[in-house]
């Protein structure tokens, strides 16, 4: 990625001040290129919502504006007015940039929330040099951190990736970055779809009460993990694996998902991210024991087996153990 333009506007709602930069950021400052590039990488690997701008969208119209400074200052003013109305939204800076990448020219806009950090400061007290601690309330996030609100737009295709959080504004939880600032309705994120799928499976399982909840959720996770190998989440495959002998449960599950606008097949661009999250089954027993079982081992009954007893209790049997290593570091 090669930066071409960048501007930083300060939205300090803690002090009630908007300080819009009048000029572009020098791109030859030490670390600027690397910092922004790492932030872009973190955003694109996060739980993004995707979509494509239309020529009539506010952002698409703004990108056609040749005055980069004017455009970014306009967004900074709008954003400040939005977040100033809510104490829940943290203060921060608005970073906007234009760059070229292997996939074409991109525009990026990120809200970099302030974080309080201590730093040392040399002071003189009664003619004595004293090394002191000073709390800086306006430190920007490290390049290793994922920002909360950001949008990256491919200027050639107008496809975008959006990252955001919801905050309480005027008594309502809203995704202010997309709804109020950009006036966009992005696709539902993979994370949100997965949450809907899990909640729906749990609701259907509770209704039929055929299988213990921990087994239903474990089967759901296995089905999601298996589906991800094809670069997608197939809700029909999940229904068939979780409710293999109950067509009524499968039908009601699909109807509930359809009512919540969840597609039958959900494409997943960053499959390694979600495979990593689902590659181990994790259980917490009422005895306080917590156990994590790799998916391949969990699916092998010669290694792990759950046994349901007539009295309603369950035994977890771990088999064929050749070696035990204590993870307590020394």
């Amino acid at each position: 990625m090669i930066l071409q333009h960048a501007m930083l506007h300060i939205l300090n709602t803690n002090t009630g001040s908007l300080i819009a930069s009048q000029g572009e950021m020098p791109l030859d400052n030490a670390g600027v290129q690397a910092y922004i590039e790492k932030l872009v990488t973190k955003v694109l690997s996060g739980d993004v919502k995707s979509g494509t701008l239309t020529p009539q969208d506010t952002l698409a119209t703004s990108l056609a504006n040749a005055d980069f400074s004017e455009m970014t200052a306009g967004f900074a003013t709008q954003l400040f007015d939005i977040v100033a109305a809510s104490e829940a939204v943290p203060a921060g800076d608005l970073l906007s940039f234009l760059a070229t990448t292997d996939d074409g020219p991109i525009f990026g806009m990120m809200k970099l929330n302030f974080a309080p950090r201590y730093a040392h400061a040399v002071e003189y007290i009664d003619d004595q040099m004293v090394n002191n601690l000073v709390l800086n309330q306006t430190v920007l996030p490290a390049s290793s951190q994922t920002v909360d609100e950001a949008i990256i737009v491919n200027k050639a295709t107008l496809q975008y990736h959006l990252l955001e959080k919801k905050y309480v504004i005027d008594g309502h939880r809203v995704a202010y970055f997309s709804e109020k600032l950009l006036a966009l309705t992005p696709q539902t994120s993979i994370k949100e779809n997965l949450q809907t799928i899990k909640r729906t499976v749990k609701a259907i399982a509770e209704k039929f009460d055929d299988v213990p909840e921990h087994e239903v959720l474990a089967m759901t996770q296995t089905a999601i993990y298996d589906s991800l190998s094809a670069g997608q989440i197939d809700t029909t495959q999940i229904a068939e694996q979780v409710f293999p002998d109950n067509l009524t449960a499968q039908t009601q599950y699909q109807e509930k998902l359809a009512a919540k606008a969840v597609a039958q097949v959900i494409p997943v661009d960053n499959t390694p991210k979600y495979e990593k999250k689902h590659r181990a089954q994790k259980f917490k027993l009422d005895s306080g024991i917590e156990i994590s079982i790799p998916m391949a081992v969990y699916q092998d009954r010669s290694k792990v087996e759950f046994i349901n007893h007539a009295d309603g209790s369950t035994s977890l049997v771990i088999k064929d153990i050749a070696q035990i290593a204590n993870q307590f570091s020394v």
Side-chain angles (χ1 to χ4, degrees):
M1 187 180 88
I2 301 175
L3 280 176
Q4 296 170 315
H5 305 276
M7 292 196 74
L8 189 70
H9 303 294
I10 300 173
L11 287 65
N12 195 339
T13 52
N14 293 332
T15 60
S17 57
L18 166 64
I19 305 175
S21 180
Q22 295 179 340
E24 295 188 16
M25 186 188 307
L27 301 181
D28 56 355
N29 283 357
V32 169
Q33 169 81 35
Y35 178 72
I36 296 178
E37 188 168 1
K38 287 179 180 178
L39 288 179
V40 170
T41 301
K42 291 293 290 183
V43 168
L44 295 179
S45 63
D47 187 48
V48 296
K49 302 175 182 180
S50 302
T52 303
L53 299 176
T54 68
Q56 293 74 36
D57 284 326
T58 301
L59 184 53
T61 303
S62 298
L63 287 174
N65 187 341
D67 192 331
F68 179 73
S69 176
E70 179 182 332
M71 176 189 70
T72 61
F75 277 118
T77 301
Q78 293 178 53
L79 185 57
F80 183 81
D81 290 340
I82 293 168
V83 301
S86 172
E87 294 182 358
V89 182
D93 291 350
L94 185 66
L95 172 66
S96 301
F97 59 89
L98 292 170
T100 55
T101 69
D102 293 339
D103 296 324
I106 64 169
F107 166 78
M109 186 161 60
M110 305 177 181
K111 182 170 177 285
L112 308 179
N113 293 335
F114 297 151
R117 294 287 188 274
Y118 280 95
H120 66 252
V122 179
E123 299 178 353
Y124 283 88
I125 302 176
D126 296 331
D127 294 328
Q128 287 185 318
M129 185 184 70
V130 178
N131 296 329
N132 204 358
L133 286 175
V134 176
L135 181 61
N136 190 331
Q137 297 280 5
T138 58
V139 176
L140 298 180
S143 60
S144 58
Q145 295 177 257
T146 299
V147 300
D148 290 335
E149 292 91 24
I151 187 167
I152 308 294
V153 182
N154 185 312
K155 292 187 66 181
T157 64
L158 292 184
Q159 292 182 324
Y160 66 84
H161 296 290
L162 174 76
L163 197 62
E164 63 180 343
K165 288 179 66 176
K166 291 184 177 181
Y167 292 93
V168 177
I169 298 179
D170 296 330
H172 302 282
R173 281 178 57 82
V174 296
Y176 74 87
F177 200 74
S178 62
E179 294 177 17
K180 293 182 175 292
L181 177 66
L182 302 173
L184 293 176
T185 305
Q187 299 173 7
T188 306
S189 71
I190 302 299
K191 180 180 179 181
E192 290 171 331
N193 277 322
L194 285 172
Q195 288 174 337
T196 301
I197 289 169
K198 292 173 185 176
R199 289 169 184 159
T200 303
V201 166
K202 185 177 179 181
I204 297 297
E206 288 174 349
K207 180 177 180 179
F208 288 92
D209 197 25
D210 293 333
V211 182
E213 181 179 302
H214 73 269
E215 290 188 30
V216 170
L217 295 178
M219 286 189 290
T220 304
Q221 183 172 335
T222 300
I224 291 171
Y225 184 80
D226 293 342
S227 181
L228 284 169
S229 63
Q232 61 187 23
I233 298 170
D234 189 330
T235 61
T236 301
Q237 178 181 336
I238 293 171
E240 292 171 350
Q241 284 187 235
V242 177
F243 308 109
D245 302 315
N246 192 333
L247 292 178
T248 303
Q250 291 183 29
T251 301
Q252 291 186 13
Y253 158 86
Q254 293 285 25
E255 288 174 349
K256 283 182 175 292
L257 289 186
K260 296 174 182 177
V262 177
Q264 288 191 355
V265 177
I266 305 165
V268 180
D269 294 330
N270 189 8
T271 52
K273 169 187 172 69
Y274 297 97
E275 285 178 331
K276 182 178 180 180
K277 286 187 175 182
H278 293 80
R279 68 185 178 190
Q281 296 278 9
K282 296 181 180 180
F283 302 93
K284 184 174 183 178
L285 313 185
D286 58 3
S287 62
I289 295 173
E290 297 184 23
I291 187 168
S292 177
I293 308 172
M295 191 64 72
V297 176
Y298 176 79
Q299 294 173 316
D300 185 352
R301 293 191 64 180
S302 69
K303 301 289 186 182
V304 176
E305 184 178 2
F306 284 88
I307 302 174
N308 297 314
H309 302 293
D311 62 359
S313 64
T314 302
S315 294
L316 171 59
V317 182
I318 302 175
K319 311 173 185 179
D320 194 24
I321 301 172
Q323 182 181 2
I324 298 177
N326 193 310
Q327 297 298 306
F328 183 74
S329 58
V330 295

